[in-house]
Each structure stands twice: as structure tokens, then as C-alpha cells.
Amino acid sequence: MRTFFLFLGLVLWSWGSYSQDWPIRILALLLACLLLGISIGRKEVAPFLVGLFIGVIAGVTNIPFSEGKQTFTGMVILSKQNYVILWRPFQRIYLSIKEGDFQWGDWIRVSGSIQPFKMTTYECRFDFKQYLYRLGVTQEIHANFAERRMGLPLRVNKFRDRFLSAFPNQNQALLDCLLFGRNDSSSYGVSLLTSLNLLYVCSCSGIFFSFFFRLVKKWMMRLLNDEKKGMVAALVLSIFFIPVSIRKIGIARGILSNLYTFINTYYCKKKYNGICRTSLTGITLFLLNKYSVFQSGFLIGFGLSYLLQFASIQWMGHSPLEKKFFGFLMLRYFLLPLSFGGGSLHFFGGLISLLTMPYLFVLCLLGYVSYLTFPFKALLNPLCDGFLSYLGCLHRIDLMFEFPKWSWAFEVVFYVLLVGGLILREYGFRRWNAWGTTLFWVTYAISLIPIAPCLEQSVTFINVGQGDSILLVNRNENVLIDTGGNLSFDMAKETLIPYFKSRRIYHIDYLIASHHDFDHIGAGESLRKHFDVRHYIDEAKDFPLQLNTWRFQNYNIYGGTEENDTSLVLGLDFMGKKWLFTGDAPVNIEKRIVRDHPELRADILKVGHHGSSTSTCEAWLSTIKCKEAIISCGEKNSYGHPNKEVLERLQNYGVRIRRTDQEGSIRYARYSFPPL
């Protein structure tokens, strides 16, 4: 247990000292204090303190590059299709590339301007900036030139691409996902795996490696008639997984775990148990790459491994079949938060996973052997086609139930109670574990009761990047002003609908288009196709709009020759505040409105045209006298929004400025009972 506490100490303090989310930092530090209290007076206290010290050292050894122009040489530690991550001692940086054969292990000389990394984020979509942060990357270099000075003779990327090119597109995308972890969400196979919630199973590379290792070990033991030689042979063959294990923590963990098991069995006389070996594997991975502790593959892999080992102590005396059954139930329970990941629960999820795993094992094993030798087109193509058909059949019987998406707080508390509970049981705190688990599930059951949506009144400026989308909720009535739009992905399916479901909103009473620019209503057609939108309004003649206690007033009755001249300017009294939603209305419209409505006031203003200089004039601000201004724009947008002069103008009038590119979605809410 001493090695285990050393491992826990360095992981908890790494999270506490480096995580960008303060609630997670605080929780990690509280857990560290709790475990320290448990270990005081025991033999585990010293290694736990050592782990905390190593975590502190790791957390403070992050030295940023000096900003500005610089030339340096760095090693590629991560290579993707359009970017690489470069490493120097205690430093990492992002380099965007359009072309160039760069792969892991290459030394690249690069020259350019170093700046903090910026990228537009979207509500409910993958946060690439956060992903890079967890890899230790906070800066990027805008390169004038980048050239390889030294590289590995084996060009793994070219080898992989040549292997995949031997297969048709549909099978190519499937093999790319299963063998190399690159997911093309537009492909049929990946979309099926995603809809069945099986993508996380396919990424469990450690499970597949363990299957391969055991298979090879048994085969070599029979061939060589010697257990030790069979183990050595399996370890030697594991070397062929290194080109893949560079990117996959699960495979690296499997190789190290089996290596330590071999050493323990034949050189340490089985002195160290499984928990100790697992902890030693985790410490080794941490020392090789301290940022690995922030990867989901690391946390899920080690969490599951510890869980099964601690739980197996409770299963002593049961038959092997019963242990396997308990292990499967424990696996499904452990992965429960992932089942709720998309806001839905697959009723047959466990059965579908069980039915899919054997096929996946065979396909991955043959695929990887084919990758190392030559393409088995005659064998792999029918297998891939059969697997896709098989997934299609499973999709037809898949039964889903809508549930609120788990927040990060629920997930963290769930895993703390699960893994930490087993630790507490080891130290005699069984009652604490039972009470904590019961309280968690009672709290979750209460949260399922739809009380909050019936009491909520809110206005949310949804982060749709460079565009507008505003959600208004008045208890069970919902109005959406604009949808945003993006040419590279479906904003409705990937941002708006997941966000609505996370808020337990399953219909929109009125969808209002301020005007017809793509960045305002580009996702409107898709939203109306895939979601319950009951009314659609895009003309000034439909106002004033009365919806029970809501009354929307349009102040732009003038129109004009340009599209922005027709933009609705909507006023609303709601939640005890006056709101103005201005779309892209330009200065000439603003001046005409305040000329005809000198009494117009606003507490909160949605700034026109994303903070462009074409809107938000002096006459407008001096009349409406707003207290807060919301600017909806994308970080690093090509238009330069918001305009510097507009920001200064708002500041001169004492207006508090809030921006979706800096804060993400901005929400104003209150909860109250409806009037009798």
C-alpha cells in the first residue's frame, strides 16, 4: 500500500497544482488532506508525503517560451494531420502545419512568432484549447519556416497511411479508428460506434493489448514448453506495439505492467502484489510524461485496475465464473458516467458491449498483424463490412432513455466514492462508504425530478463562436433568437441540441431569426429538422409577439437596402430587467430608433454586429443607458471583432462588458414559483 499512496500523492497534487478548473483543484487538495489524515500514524504517511512533494515539483516545472520572434529546435512528441507538439526541456508548444512529413521523434528547427494559444470554442463541442492545456501546451508559434533537422529512419506515418490506402474509404476510416485512434466523425462506422456509445470501448487499447499478450504468452508457452520463456517471448513481441503505444497510454501501461509482473515473478519471488505493481506502473508513466495523469485513458485505466484489484479481495471464496460475472458488473458500473456522457442511457449498453468485444478483438488483432506485415485485403475487407453490418443490426435494437447529462461534479464524486470507498473499506471505514454511496444516489434521484425547469427563468447567450444565439426560458416556455452557423460542422446537431438536452429543454416554442445572415440563422434549417421547433418567425410584421407573460417588441420598422438594415431589434421586459437584442442593426438604424423612441432604456444590451464599428454609436449608448453589454463573437476571429473603439466607448459609459469568446456561454437566471 505504500507504493499506492506514493502514486496517489503525486496524482492528487499534480491535479491540485496544475488543473485549470479551480473546483477540481480544491477537490484534489481536499482529497489529499483526507488521505494524509488517514495515513498519519501508519507506514503509508511517508510515501504519501513523497508523492505530494513530487507532484509539487512537477506542477511548478512548467516554463513558458518567451513571447515574440524566436528560433529554436524541438522534438516532435505528438504528430497529427495538421499540427505537431514540439518539446524542449520543461517546455511544450503548438505548431500548425499545412504540409510536412513530421512524426514522433523528429527534431525540427522552427522560426516564428510565439504567442499564447487561441482558438474559437463552442458550447458542448470538444474543447481543443483545454485538451492542449492538459498536454502542457499554452502557447503556439506562427512559423515562418519549419524544417526537419533529424528524424527516425522508419517513417511511421507514411507506413500507416500506405497501409490504410489499400482499403476502401468506409473500411479505411473504421481501421483508422480501431488501430490508430483517429476518429473521422463523418464516416459511417465511427458515427455508428458513437451512436451506440461504443467509441470508448474501441479506445480501450489496454484491454486489447492484454488480450493479445495473454494469447501470445499461452501460445509461446505451449510452443517452448516453458512458462518463463513464453513470458519473455511475449514481452519481446510487445516491442512491435511501440509505434502505436507512443500515443496510447493503455498499451504503454500494459507493456510496463507485464514487465513488472515478469520481474516480480522470476526475480522478486512474487514479493509485490498487484496493487503495488500497478502503482509502480503509474509512477513510471508519470516520470516519463507528467502530463499523462491528466489524460482520460490514464485515469480510467488505472481507476478500473485498482477497482478490480480491491474488489477481488471481497470476492475471495467465489468460483472463477462468479468472479468473472462480478468483474463484468463492476466494469459496467465503473463506466456508467460514460454511458450518461451524451445525455442518454443505452438500456442494452452492457449487452451490446459484450456482443461487440469478441468481434473487436479479432478485427483489431488481425488488423494490427496486417499493419506490421502486409494488407490482408481479402480478409479484412469482408470482416470490416461484416462488422459494420453487425453494428447496423445492433443499432436497430438499441433502446435509449434520455437523462440529464452528468456534470463534472457528479462524475468526480462518483469515482471518488467508488475507488476511494474501497480504500476506506480496507481501513475499516465501511459505514462511511455505504452512507456516501447512498447519499450520492439519493441526490441523483432527486435531481431527476423536473423541478428546476418548472421554476427557471433565464436568458443565455450561447457560445456559438462568431455568431449569435440567445435562449430565453420562462419556466416551460422557450424562445430562441438566432442559431449561429458554421460551414465546417452542423451547429444545430453538435452545439445547440446537446446544449438544450443538457438543460432538459426538449422543445422550442418560437425560433426568431433576427435576419438572414448565415452566422445568425445558418443552423436554423437543421434545428427545425432535428428538434421540436413549433413556430418560426423572421419578419418584422409578426411583432409585437405576445407569448403568455412575454411581450417582444421590434423597434426596427425601417428596413433598408442591406441585409443588416432589416435586422430585428427586439426589446423585452423579463426577470425585472430591460433587455435589447440588436442582431446586426447598423448605426443608421440605431439613430433612427433613438430619435423615435427617446424613452428607450436597457439594463442589458446584446451589442450589435458582434462589437463591430458599424454598430453601437454614441447616440445609442447615451439614450439606452445600459449597465451591461454582451458581445457574442469567436476568439481569434478574422473580422477583428470586437472593435477597439467600441470597447472604449462602452467603457466610457461605465458599461460592464461580457464576451462569449472569453467566458463561453453567458447565462442570467433566477428561480421562482409562477404567480397564482
Side-chain angles (χ1 to χ4, degrees), residues 123-141:
E123 183 68 52
C124 292
R125 293 199 85 224
F126 177 69
D127 191 339
F128 187 67
K129 188 175 181 179
Q130 178 72 5
Y131 166 75
L132 288 181
Y133 182 82
R134 291 183 177 180
L135 292 177
V137 178
T138 58
Q139 296 173 299
E140 61 181 326
I141 180 168

Side-chain angles (χ1 to χ4, degrees), residues 211-225:
F211 170 77
F212 168 82
F213 189 87
R214 290 177 184 177
L215 191 69
V216 171
K217 185 176 73 171
K218 287 183 179 180
W219 180 62
M220 295 303 295
M221 283 171 55
R222 291 180 181 178
L223 183 67
L224 301 173
N225 198 27

Side-chain angles (χ1 to χ4, degrees), residues 179-471:
L179 301 180
F180 308 110
R182 301 192 305 176
N183 303 327
D184 178 6
S185 58
S186 63
S187 69
Y188 176 66
V190 174
S191 63
L192 269 179
L193 289 169
T194 303
S195 63
L196 288 168
N197 205 27
L198 288 174
L199 204 55
Y200 74 91
V201 175
C202 300
S203 63
C204 292
S205 53
I207 297 176
F208 298 130
F209 174 79
S210 297
F211 170 77
F212 168 82
F213 189 87
R214 290 177 184 177
L215 191 69
V216 171
K217 185 176 73 171
K218 287 183 179 180
W219 180 62
M220 295 303 295
M221 283 171 55
R222 291 180 181 178
L223 183 67
L224 301 173
N225 198 27
D226 187 289
E227 184 177 348
K228 183 178 180 180
K229 291 181 179 178
M231 188 81 166
V232 171
L235 285 170
V236 171
L237 289 175
S238 298
I239 295 173
F240 291 103
F241 275 89
I242 289 178
V244 177
S245 66
I246 289 170
R247 292 185 58 247
K248 290 181 173 287
I249 290 178
I251 294 179
R253 178 171 54 83
I255 292 174
L256 285 172
S257 178
N258 284 293
L259 176 63
Y260 288 140
T261 299
F262 174 78
I263 294 172
N264 181 59
T265 303
Y266 297 103
Y267 295 98
C268 298
K269 299 179 180 179
K270 299 183 179 181
K271 180 180 178 181
Y272 305 103
N273 60 19
I275 294 174
C276 179
R277 298 195 303 272
T278 301
S279 303
L280 190 58
T281 300
I283 294 169
T284 305
L285 285 176
F286 176 86
L287 294 176
L288 292 173
N289 176 18
K290 65 180 180 180
Y291 298 105
S292 61
V293 300
F294 304 106
Q295 309 307 308
S296 58
F298 183 96
L299 298 172
I300 291 175
F302 280 99
L304 182 58
S305 179
Y306 282 126
L307 179 69
L308 293 175
Q309 290 184 66
F310 277 114
S312 64
I313 300 173
Q314 314 296 325
W315 303 337
M316 294 181 65
H318 292 274
S319 67
L321 184 61
E322 289 175 327
K323 289 181 180 179
K324 289 183 179 179
F325 177 71
F326 292 146
F328 175 75
L329 291 180
M330 188 65 73
L331 172 65
R332 294 305 308 170
Y333 187 71
F334 183 84
L335 297 175
L336 198 58
L338 298 178
S339 301
F340 284 100
S344 58
L345 179 65
H346 295 256
F347 186 74
F348 298 117
L351 178 61
I352 289 174
S353 298
L354 199 60
L355 293 173
T356 307
M357 290 291 275
Y359 207 139
L360 274 173
F361 280 138
V362 173
L363 188 56
C364 289
L365 179 59
L366 291 176
Y368 195 70
V369 173
S370 174
Y371 165 68
L372 292 174
T373 54
F374 60 91
F376 301 158
K377 290 188 289 184
L379 180 59
L380 282 177
N381 273 326
L383 277 174
C384 289
D385 293 338
F387 184 63
L388 292 175
S389 299
Y390 183 56
L391 289 177
C393 293
L394 293 175
H395 189 263
R396 293 188 189 97
I397 67 168
D398 187 30
L399 183 62
M400 288 193 302
F401 297 96
E402 295 290 343
F403 280 87
K405 185 178 179 180
W406 278 25
S407 66
W408 68 265
F410 260 102
E411 291 186 8
V412 169
V413 173
F414 175 85
Y415 284 119
V416 167
L417 288 173
L418 187 59
V419 180
L422 289 171
I423 300 172
L424 290 174
R425 290 172 68 90
E426 286 295 302
Y427 287 91
F429 299 99
R430 298 194 175 196
R431 185 171 296 179
W432 286 25
N433 180 31
W435 276 106
T437 303
T438 302
L439 181 62
F440 171 83
W441 285 112
V442 168
T443 304
Y444 180 66
I446 293 173
S447 73
L448 294 178
I449 302 173
I451 298 174
C454 298
L455 306 177
E456 178 185 339
Q457 293 179 304
S458 65
V459 177
T460 305
F461 299 85
I462 304 174
N463 179 23
V464 292
Q466 186 63 23
D468 271 13
S469 187
I470 306 161
L471 174 67

Side-chain angles (χ1 to χ4, degrees), residues 611 613 616 618 642-652:
S613 59
T616 322
E618 291 274 358
N643 178 266
K644 183 179 179 181
E645 292 181 1
V646 170
L647 294 176
E648 291 177 353
R649 195 174 302 144
L650 288 166
Q651 290 170 350
N652 290 338

